[in-house]
Amino acid sequence: MTVHLVGAGPGDPELLTLKAARLLANADVVVHDRLVSAEILAMVPPWAELIDVGKDPNGKRTTQAEINALLIERAKVATSVVRLKGGDPFVFGRGGEEAIALAAQGLEVHVVPGISSAIAGPAQAGIPVTHRGMSAAFTVVTAQRGPTGKPVNWRALAEVGSTIVVLMGARLAGVISRELVAGGLSESTPVAVVHAASTPSQTIQRFELGELERTPVKNPAVIVIGDVAAESVLEPALLANPAELQGALL
């Protein structure tokens, strides 16, 4: 009686870990999120039960309590249950809550890490979230807070001096822009928005922080804020100083 909390990565099925692919190919039940791609779900055997528990911002929403109860119920009757989550189960995936609920029922939990879109999004755009002489750290934050969660202190983040990577921030782009500027970031701070990272629908927008409030951001999106957002090792024409980058890599 084991539930595998499996990270599906950012979308591209080739970015799955080998262990994740093996578990999917042998699963009896797969409980998956909304943004898991059809290509990844196609790896599940035809006899397995597929259960969509995705949370649609504008429609169907399965509560976390319902998901926990479903996992417990299936784990008690099925041989192999996979809880398939976009990105990594423990990066804004509520995997910790599910693991606690399962363990409380005496069920075994195994975690299979996945590539978080917080890393994959910038990487797919050629943006190094850390870059010598430009950014020594990066901060990952979700713009969405639960009913008991404290609001994000964007002004404090503006003072950290690191690259800021925002997940689930499309609807709050205006707030993010205004608060970061109020916290001291320049309106000319580079911003990159990577939509549907690693999928055929991927798009990349680049502009300045002052424009973020006026620029529509489409979900799912990763918002990268900081000097590195103006860079792309995949597009040399965008590099502010190609010679510096080459020297950093030597």
Side-chain angles (χ1 to χ4, degrees):
M1 297 199 296
T2 301
V3 175
H4 301 274
L5 299 181
V6 176
D12 183 348
E14 293 190 341
L15 294 178
L16 279 175
T17 64
L18 293 174
K19 187 169 186 177
R22 176 176 59 80
L23 288 170
L24 287 175
N26 293 280
D28 296 312
V29 179
V30 176
V31 180
H32 65 91
D33 285 345
R34 179 176 64 93
L35 294 178
V36 175
S37 70
E39 291 79 8
I40 291 176
L41 293 179
M43 301 170 71
V44 178
W47 61 82
E49 181 183 17
L50 277 174
I51 306 174
D52 182 354
V53 294
K55 296 178 174 67
D56 186 339
N58 302 308
K60 172 191 171 185
R61 295 184 65 84
T62 308
T63 68
Q64 192 60 51
E66 291 172 333
I67 294 172
N68 293 348
L70 176 65
L71 290 172
I72 292 167
E73 187 274 327
R74 290 299 194 276
K76 291 181 177 179
V77 297
T79 301
S80 178
V81 177
V82 171
R83 173 67 172 107
L84 189 61
K85 294 174 166 290
D88 182 90
F90 284 177
V91 179
F92 304 129
R94 304 186 74 167
E97 296 175 44
E98 293 172 8
I100 290 170
L102 290 162
Q105 295 294 316
L107 298 167
E108 192 171 357
V109 179
H110 292 170
V111 179
V112 180
I115 302 174
S116 171
S117 60
I119 303 297
Q124 291 290 299
I127 298 171
V129 290
T130 62
H131 178 45
R132 189 168 63 178
M134 186 174 294
S135 176
F138 66 99
T139 301
V140 180
V141 59
T142 174
Q144 300 297 326
R145 314 298 288 182
T148 59
K150 295 181 180 179
V152 178
N153 190 339
W154 298 105
R155 298 188 186 193
L157 283 177
E159 298 179 1
V160 173
S162 66
T163 301
I164 301 172
V165 180
V166 183
L167 304 182
M168 296 175 277
R171 292 192 295 176
L172 294 174
V175 173
I176 295 169
S177 174
R178 292 191 298 272
E179 287 296 297
L180 288 176
V181 170
L185 282 187
S186 169
E187 291 190 351
S188 62
T189 301
V191 173
V193 174
V194 187
H195 165 68
S198 85
T199 75
S201 301
Q202 175 178 302
T203 60
I204 303 167
Q205 299 169 278
R206 297 179 190 271
F207 42 86
E208 295 182 347
L209 183 58
E211 300 174 285
L212 180 57
E213 184 174 4
R214 304 184 298 274
T215 305
V217 176
K218 184 179 178 182
N219 271 317
V222 178
I223 304 174
V224 186
I225 302 167
D227 290 342
V228 296
E231 306 293 309
S232 178
V233 298
L234 304 180
E235 301 174 66
L238 291 178
L239 292 175
N241 191 338
E244 178 185 340
L245 176 63
Q246 183 179 16
L249 296 176
L250 294 178

